[in-house]
Amino acid sequence: MFRKVLIANRGAIACRIVHTLDRMGIASVAVYSEADRHSMHVMRAGESVAIGASPAAENYLKVDAILDAARKTGAEAIHPGYGFLAENPGFADACEQAGIVFIGPKPTHMRAFGLKHRAREVALRSNVPLAPGSGVIRDIAHAMSEAARIGYPVMIKSTAGGGGIGLELVTAPGDIAPLYERVERLARNNFKEAGIFIEKYVARARHIEVQIFGDGKGNVVSLGERDCSAQRRNQKVIEETPAPNLPDQTRAALWDTACRLGQSVNYESAGTVEYLYDAATDEFYFLEVNTRLQVEHGVSEEVNGVDLVEWMVRQAAGEMPPLDQTSIEPKGASIQARLYAEDPGRDFRPSSGLLTHVAWPNDARIETWVQSGSEVSPFYDPMLAKIIVTGVTREEALSKLQTALDATEIGGLETNLDYLRQLSRLDVLARGEMLTRTLQTFAYKADTIEVLAPGTQTTIQDWPGRLGYWAVGVPPSGPMDPLSFRLANRLIGNDEGAAGIETTLSGPTLKFNSDTVICLGGAELIATVDGEPVPYWQAFAVKAGQVLKVAGVKGPGVRAYIAVRGGIDVPNYLGSRSTFTLGKFGGHAGRTLRTGDVLHIGAMPDGASKETS
């Protein structure tokens, strides 16, 4: 067995690999970029080596820097995780030439399946079902000819890459040229490979994939299938196993064809065979093979009681026990949700900054790289965590997922947490009828307020504030005018201590993304909603899309308050939600509000409506 393994990755997968290596008694080495110098995988690994500046091209994609780190630390093997160099045959070759074991499939397997059109050729020879499609397209004229032969609608696909990049749906001949050029451009920019092919579009498609593992000698086993149909712009959001509403004979055929495909190339290590399943006809078609560990591998581990990272390490070290399909009997159901640093209320714009508060549920498997105080940089994929739950039945697992998402707390920057909470309660998900395009019509309700302009010294406060910490250097905090603050809350039916907005002299400009009721109190400032004056000391309704602008002082005093029905939902820190700007904690991100901040509106007690006056 290896004595020391280097992890050529970052984030949640790097932390996961460190955990498995620790359990196996193998020393771990982390590599890191400047942006990741304080990241969790660096702190948890036995050793760590800096390999470059923050952009990915200057660190986790630098083969020479990673190999040099392995040599300097005496690492005998490298685990690439997923993404970055995980499916790069040149990197695997370089490891072999350096005398370092690459933990993963062989370079020949990566080359056989790395380009989708070549993978289709292997699948065809293995009698794996294929959707009607073309070979590599020469030019636009060829694309138009092939699309006409296959029949519209069709998909234009890049032969390289993944992650939903390089896919376009074409419904009419007039759209071929611009979409062909778009896919070709994306392929060149992202994968340095501009190969394009065309495939028949399946309207009622589900994305089903089979986890396989091979010993490199022709023995390949299946660890079951996963349904990854809940996708947003071809990016997976929720994954589960087993796939719901799948006939037993279809499930068996999926397993069989995936194993047959792996056996045809003597596949070694972990891999995933992806299929498009036509829910209308009960037919499935080969899509591609991912020659690496998948992001969603955890759900397969949960129902099979295995550790795929450990299997990969043992396989690479020559210590993997013989594979036996008869011993693999998945039990129960497991579901995973991907938590991203992105704002679903603003077209899923990526977020970056300081996570001031992170709390995870107890009854869930959490794979993450963040904790309270982590800095999320703009340089990498915005995934913060994978939240994985398991139940005896699918219904139990789905209930656990909803509970786990409700118990998850993230503060400091915007995430897709509320989007996941709403998605987990969709009837179509509960029925197991999710299609790959279902989320295109999912109407997310953003119960939020967007800060268009922050005003002067605008903060989140609650009453009575943070008290009793003078002994450790934290002075009392809370609203400067507690009476006005409490009265404004009471006028809209809130508890008088609910978190609200305090401003000084000149107030903020706020866009409301959902209907609610608010009240202005304290010093009277000039305030309008969509340009129309609004009163002080009176509850009034605002509609989704309306903008509240609180300008300069109109009457005596300087402190004014904006109470929102349900309160402002920010983390509780030292017994209060009040902002202490000097201490850089409490409120929203521990500071005054800034342009672009998103504030979440809290829930009313006992299910009371936020929208009635």
Side-chain angles (χ1 to χ4, degrees), residues 417-567:
L417 179 57
D418 277 348
Y419 178 86
L420 292 174
R421 288 169 176 164
Q422 294 178 36
L423 177 56
S424 72
R425 289 173 166 83
L426 281 184
D427 287 342
V428 67
L429 180 64
R431 295 193 304 268
E433 297 175 356
M434 186 72 67
L435 303 176
T436 56
R437 293 191 171 263
T438 298
L439 296 190
Q440 289 186 350
T441 56
F442 170 43
Y444 167 66
K445 182 178 183 293
D447 213 2
T448 58
I449 304 169
E450 183 179 346
V451 180
L452 303 183
T456 305
Q457 197 69 18
T458 303
T459 59
I460 305 300
Q461 302 294 339
D462 70 353
W463 180 85
R466 189 172 294 104
L467 305 172
Y469 293 95
W470 257 124
V472 291
V474 179
S477 53
M480 293 294 290
D481 180 357
L483 180 59
S484 293
F485 182 90
R486 293 158 62 194
L487 288 174
N489 264 326
R490 292 185 65 175
L491 283 169
I492 55 173
N494 281 351
D495 178 89
E496 61 184 357
I501 300 171
E502 179 181 78
T503 189
T504 308
L505 288 175
S506 178
T509 301
L510 307 173
K511 178 184 176 183
F512 290 80
N513 293 321
S514 62
D515 296 351
T516 190
V517 175
I518 68 174
C519 180
L520 306 181
E524 191 172 353
L525 308 183
I526 301 170
T528 60
V529 170
D530 288 353
E532 296 296 323
V534 293
Y536 265 66
W537 300 116
Q538 182 178 320
F540 61 91
V542 289
K543 298 295 184 182
Q546 289 192 311
V547 175
L548 168 70
K549 184 174 183 179
V550 182
V553 176
K554 181 179 180 181
V558 296
R559 303 280 182 175
Y561 299 93
I562 305 170
V564 180
R565 178 164 289 178

Side-chain angles (χ1 to χ4, degrees), residues 128 207-213 220-228 236 240-241 243 246 250-262 267 269-276 284 286-292 294 296-297 300 304 308 325 328 330:
V128 176
H207 184 122
I208 308 291
E209 60 188 33
V210 178
Q211 177 70 59
I212 62 171
F213 199 94
V220 178
V221 296
S222 162
L223 286 90
E225 83 290 344
R226 299 183 287 254
D227 190 320
C228 306
K236 299 167 186 174
E240 63 176 300
T241 187
L246 198 63
T250 304
R251 194 185 315 275
L254 284 163
W255 291 26
D256 178 66
T257 55
C259 289
R260 193 165 67 238
L261 188 61
Y267 192 82
S269 197
T272 300
V273 184
E274 301 196 352
Y275 300 91
L276 205 61
F284 62 86
F286 171 77
L287 279 177
E288 61 179 322
V289 177
N290 286 298
T291 53
R292 56 171 167 82
Q294 287 279 88
E296 58 272 20
H297 72 276
S300 297
N304 285 287
L308 282 170
Q325 185 70 63
I328 297 173

Side-chain angles (χ1 to χ4, degrees), residues 138-197:
R138 296 187 300 271
D139 51 33
I140 293 177
H142 187 205
M144 295 183 71
S145 173
E146 287 295 271
R149 177 184 64 82
I150 296 166
Y152 290 93
V154 297
M155 294 293 293
I156 300 180
K157 295 185 173 184
S158 163
T159 63
I165 299 173
L167 297 174
E168 289 290 346
L169 171 63
V170 186
T171 58
D175 296 330
I176 279 279
L179 292 177
Y180 175 89
E181 292 171 350
R182 172 180 167 79
V183 172
E184 186 178 46
R185 182 174 64 255
L186 286 171
R188 289 186 185 279
N189 292 342
N190 288 278
F191 313 124
K192 298 181 181 178
E193 171 65 50
I196 303 295
F197 70 104

Side-chain angles (χ1 to χ4, degrees), residues 23-267:
R23 187 174 50 76
M24 296 177 69
I26 300 172
S28 57
V29 179
V31 294
Y32 64 93
S33 68
E34 174 64 21
D36 281 339
R37 64 191 183 280
H38 300 306
S39 191
M40 190 182 292
H41 78 283
V42 178
M43 295 184 285
R44 291 186 174 177
E47 298 177 63
S48 59
V49 180
I51 57 169
S54 296
E58 299 180 34
N59 43 72
Y60 304 107
L61 292 172
K62 289 177 66 175
V63 172
D64 291 343
I66 291 171
L67 292 176
D68 186 56
R71 282 188 289 262
K72 285 180 178 178
T73 58
E76 304 155 277
I78 293 176
H79 197 305
Y82 44 67
F84 295 121
L85 295 170
E87 291 181 283
N88 187 314
F91 177 53
D93 286 335
C95 289
E96 183 177 358
Q97 293 165 9
I100 299 169
V101 176
F102 178 86
I103 300 175
K106 296 297 184 185
T108 53
H109 304 145
M110 297 182 193
R111 292 188 172 98
F113 295 120
L115 296 179
K116 296 182 182 69
H117 71 285
R118 290 181 185 167
R120 283 175 60 91
E121 293 169 0
V122 177
L124 185 63
R125 292 196 296 269
S126 301
N127 295 317
V128 176
L130 293 171
S134 72
V136 176
I137 299 297
R138 296 187 300 271
D139 51 33
I140 293 177
H142 187 205
M144 295 183 71
S145 173
E146 287 295 271
R149 177 184 64 82
I150 296 166
Y152 290 93
V154 297
M155 294 293 293
I156 300 180
K157 295 185 173 184
S158 163
T159 63
I165 299 173
L167 297 174
E168 289 290 346
L169 171 63
V170 186
T171 58
D175 296 330
I176 279 279
L179 292 177
Y180 175 89
E181 292 171 350
R182 172 180 167 79
V183 172
E184 186 178 46
R185 182 174 64 255
L186 286 171
R188 289 186 185 279
N189 292 342
N190 288 278
F191 313 124
K192 298 181 181 178
E193 171 65 50
I196 303 295
F197 70 104
I198 293 177
E199 197 170 71
K200 180 68 177 176
Y201 171 68
V202 178
R204 291 188 55 77
R206 290 170 59 186
H207 184 122
I208 308 291
E209 60 188 33
V210 178
Q211 177 70 59
I212 62 171
F213 199 94
D215 64 4
K217 302 173 185 177
N219 298 313
V220 178
V221 296
S222 162
L223 286 90
E225 83 290 344
R226 299 183 287 254
D227 190 320
C228 306
S229 302
Q231 300 180 10
R232 185 190 62 77
R233 297 174 188 165
N234 301 313
Q235 289 277 13
K236 299 167 186 174
V237 181
I238 289 181
E239 302 105 334
E240 63 176 300
T241 187
N245 300 327
L246 198 63
D248 290 342
Q249 67 272 19
T250 304
R251 194 185 315 275
L254 284 163
W255 291 26
D256 178 66
T257 55
C259 289
R260 193 165 67 238
L261 188 61
Q263 290 163 355
S264 72
V265 296
N266 292 327
Y267 192 82

